[in-house]
Amino acid sequence: MTSFNIPPITQRQGFSIKSRICGFFGTSKRKISQSHRVVTAEKEQEEQEDMESILKPLRDGESVLDLSPRSTVSGGVEDVYGEDRATEDQLVTPWTFSVASGYSLLRDPQYNKGLAFTEKERDAHYLCGLLPPTVITQQLQEKKLMKSIREYQVPLQKYMAMMDLQERNERLFYKLLIDNVEELLPVVYTPTVGEACQKYGSIFRRPQGLYISLKEKGKILEVLKNWPERSIQVIVVTDGERILGLGDLGCQGMGIPVGKLALYTALGGVRPSACLPVTIDVGTNNEKLLNDEFYIGLGQKRATGKEYYDLLHEFMCAVKQNYGEKVLVQFEDFANHNAFELLAKYGTTHLVFNDDIQGTASVVLAGVVAALKLIGGILADHTFLFLGAGEAGTGIAELIALEMSKQTKAPIEESRKKIWLVDSKGLIVSSRKNSLQHFKKPWAHDHEPLNNLLDAVKVIKPTVLIGSSGVGRTFTKEVVQAMTANNEKPLIMALSNPTSQSECTAEEAYQWSEGRAIFASGSPFDPVEYKGKVYVPGQANNAYIFPGFGLGLVISGTIRVHDDMLLAASEALAKQVTDENYNKGLIYPPFTDIRKISANIAANVAAKAYELGLATRLPRPADLVQYAESCMYSPVYRNYR
Ligand SMILES: NC(=O)C1=CN([C@@H]2O[C@H](COP(=O)(O)OP(=O)(O)OC[C@H]3O[C@@H](n4cnc5c(N)ncnc54)[C@H](OP(=O)(O)O)[C@@H]3O)[C@@H](O)[C@H]2O)C=CC1
Ligand SMILES: CC(=O)C(=O)O
Ligand SMILES: [Mg+2]
């Protein structure tokens, strides 16, 4: 009898020699090696020897392995794991097998096709009897699921149905999301994802993503190795401190990286197995969560200072060590007192991107540039006023100033003078300079102090008003009317998420401006009918940018992000707006075309990376749009041998 470490296989797991062979040589080869996690070179060699000890006799035509279940004298099946005999205080070994066939194939979201398994596949993969007899197409599965999702009246129920699907049948999940993007984006993303995060602890049955808490300090590399996939290309990481405009949701912020990465795949075509959602848990300052006995995170106040930065540093080093130089780390929904510092610190050593600062900047610049067709002039002809001077506000302001300077050849300090920001203390002016956070200082222009938005609108007379405060209903009727009094077509962007935090609704913007506003918002609003005309609001959300931007970095093997790549992404997005879109008052193309849009963004970003000498995938593909499209993940089922 050949000895090997893999324990004998039980009847309960439903395998046979045939399925083991099929597993090793077929689709599940990778799964086998993952389930026996390689931690050291020694262990890897040991595992290879184990594997060889199984495979060699089989290659040699020997039938020496007795993998059939062993019956016991008293009847039944031998309790090989000691599970049946172990009392509650005894230890048992949590053996699992990941060979994707039979029952486990149906439970593997990556390979499961449900009723769409063909007769041949059912026979070859030990599925007979595990499924009802009917065989249906993926299209019919999609139709059935969309019907049942539409029957839910409560958005959170739709969200949970989608998450259940993602955990059950990944390809079908992405097929639904891609084919019904405008309908399902508000379900898996803003606004519903905000509510899901608020209730995250209670709505989830299975954990998603990787949790790295202070408890993992000193062993983050090991934790990364627990993740079942190795070839990671994109990580979205949050510490949960500023989840949308909902504040500190601690560990429950996990819904955001999970949702963003679902969009990386659906909108940008990055393979799901190459995506890793991470939540860094350093505690929370949210008293409600701290007092909640069902809270899923560390029940302590947030670690700050050295303790915080040491953990983040260990994470960033472990990521590079485990996945290499070209893994993209997207920072998401960190509070601004850490976000700017992390971006500056790791921007020179890692491939990092802050979606809230940079992705938002790129999408808003695209919207403003596109809107020039409707409101007239060039960028430098306009005056910008922001409500909110944090990550989103100052990030957007800086990219607009950069683009303005490139167009006019004026120094960036000159361009910045056309941009004004209001924070919770009022207009940012030079007399406040000493007490301002560093990211606000460039915007401290000479002016008398003004302590509210309405006064600022009346005095500064902006042509473009941008909300990035995270506070809902702050664009009041008076503010919109003041914008309308100064401008034939005021451009108003209410970026704060989710819908409850939007600075105003689409209906308010159109009504209060008597149909003259060009309006876009971070979370979606339905079209509005005003005085017999239908106005379609655009969605100014970084979801237009980050999937294509990330794809561009990945396919070109780029090693560092450069501001010019953000401008390239913005330019590509603005170019996708058609006359048909403009006629409806839209300054963004519809999300239905997002894969084409993402391919164009990816191509423009990759082209810039090659131009800057930051791309490592050589030779440069001649047609980058076609290349980007060819790299995109398709959710259509694959045939199994
Ligand atoms: N549409 C999109 O794609 C995106 C939308 N967002 C949304 O933007 C919002 C802000 O995000 P972010 O910039 O990261 O957050 P930050 O916390 O970094 O910034 C918030 C800013 O708003 C200011 N502010 C808060 N309350 C008021 C108030 N009542 N009046 C005036 N200013 C106020 C703060 O002032 P102070 O500095 O004085 O505290 C701060 O400057 C969130 O709702 C987020 O969801 C973010 C990224 C992308
Ligand atoms: C959209 C986004 O990234 C945010 O609201 O934070
Ligand atoms: Mg965000």
Side-chain angles (χ1 to χ4, degrees), residues 189-190 242-245 256 260 332-333 355-356 360 495-498 522 541-543 546:
Y189 190 53
T190 184
R242 196 284 279 143
I243 296 298
L244 307 176
I256 294 294
K260 291 269 176 184
E332 193 71 53
D333 291 10
D355 190 32
D356 301 299
T360 314
L495 300 180
S496 294
N497 296 316
N541 194 295
N542 49 31
F546 71 79

Side-chain angles (χ1 to χ4, degrees), residues 189 242-246 260 332-337 340 355-357 359-360 363-364 387-394 422-426 428 432 437 439-440 467-471 474 494-498 501 503 521-523 540-543:
Y189 190 53
R242 196 284 279 143
I243 296 298
L244 307 176
L246 302 171
K260 291 269 176 184
E332 193 71 53
D333 291 10
F334 284 73
N336 61 38
H337 51 252
F340 288 100
D355 190 32
D356 301 299
I357 302 171
T360 314
V363 78
V364 172
L387 181 71
E391 292 167 69
T394 61
V422 171
D423 66 8
S424 65
K425 297 185 182 65
I428 296 182
R432 291 178 55 195
Q437 290 139 292
F439 50 86
K440 292 180 184 170
S468 55
S469 61
V471 185
T474 35
L495 300 180
S496 294
N497 296 316
Q501 313 308 110
E503 282 79 7
S521 53
S523 295
N541 194 295
N542 49 31

Side-chain angles (χ1 to χ4, degrees), residues 187-257:
V187 175
V188 301
Y189 190 53
T190 184
T192 313
V193 72
E195 188 185 353
C197 288
Q198 289 172 313
K199 300 175 182 163
Y200 204 78
S202 57
I203 63 174
F204 278 105
R205 289 183 288 273
R206 281 201 206 176
Q208 296 169 294
L210 203 59
Y211 293 88
I212 297 177
S213 78
L214 288 169
K215 285 189 198 169
E216 277 71 54
K217 188 170 160 42
K219 48 185 181 185
I220 294 180
L221 186 60
E222 281 172 51
V223 175
L224 290 182
K225 287 180 187 294
N226 287 342
W227 187 250
E229 305 290 348
R230 287 202 211 165
S231 49
I232 298 300
Q233 292 172 326
V234 184
I235 294 173
V236 176
V237 58
T238 188
D239 71 356
E241 193 168 3
R242 196 284 279 143
I243 296 298
L244 307 176
L246 302 171
D248 183 352
L249 296 184
C251 198
Q252 302 194 165
M254 181 57 103
I256 294 294

